[in-house]
Amino acid sequence: MLEAGSRQFKDWWLKSAIRSWYMDRESQERLVIVVFSSVVGVLLLWSLVWKPVSDWREIENNRFERAQSVLDWMHANESRARAAAARATEPRGPGPSLIPVITRAADAQGLTLNRLQPETNGAVTVLLQAQPFNQVMEWLHNLQENNGVTILRISIDAQGEPGYVNAQLRIL
């Protein structure tokens, strides 16, 4: 069957107008046509096959490296995350109320708390508006490090003014 197909192609090629046109040219013109056709063929092969496959390989390699770095980070911080999750599920003891701790720490950082809402499980929802991002981050760090509170949830959105944010937190 393969022979029949190649025989049909050969017959078609011998009778084609392209071959007749090519054979009517002088030998130097035919050489130029072959070289030009080869260059165009190589460029088409490179642009339609090699370049897309090469780009895809690079993109996938970068995606793999990013995923691997996230996985490594997760393995490195697994014990801290498990400990924080265990602390978050523990009911808060008869220690000092959380609201004065939060407000004292906010006052120390010069932050204005727009809303404090206590919850039944001992957590407190805090809302800040138009506060400096760096001071909010320092406040959160101090709350965790110095007062032993746990940030259960945080949502930070950009404010219209550069460097200022709105934040909503759930603290335990």
Side-chain angles (χ1 to χ4, degrees), residues 80 140-149:
R80 290 178 60 199
L140 292 174
H141 176 74
N142 288 337
L143 274 176
Q144 287 181 309
E145 293 296 318
N146 301 334
N147 300 300
V149 301

Side-chain angles (χ1 to χ4, degrees), residues 37-135:
S37 299
S38 299
V39 168
V40 168
V42 167
L43 285 174
L44 283 174
L45 181 67
W46 179 80
S47 66
L48 296 177
V49 177
W50 184 264
K51 182 72 170 134
V53 169
S54 175
D55 290 348
W56 173 82
R57 182 176 168 260
E58 185 176 336
I59 289 167
E60 291 301 314
N61 191 31
N62 288 341
R63 183 180 295 164
F64 171 76
E65 288 175 2
R66 281 194 312 269
Q68 186 65 45
S69 69
V70 168
L71 180 64
D72 292 343
W73 180 86
M74 288 174 66
H75 283 302
N77 293 301
E78 179 181 11
S79 61
R80 290 178 60 199
R82 289 188 189 277
R87 281 195 317 264
T89 58
E90 294 173 357
R92 199 156 177 90
S97 175
L98 196 53
I99 292 177
V101 171
I102 293 170
T103 55
R104 269 195 309 273
D107 288 341
Q109 286 297 325
L111 295 174
T112 303
L113 303 177
N114 293 82
R115 189 174 95 203
L116 290 166
Q117 180 177 346
E119 297 179 11
T120 58
N121 65 349
V124 176
T125 299
V126 181
L127 179 67
L128 296 102
Q129 291 182 334
Q131 299 298 310
F133 176 77
N134 290 339
Q135 286 177 303

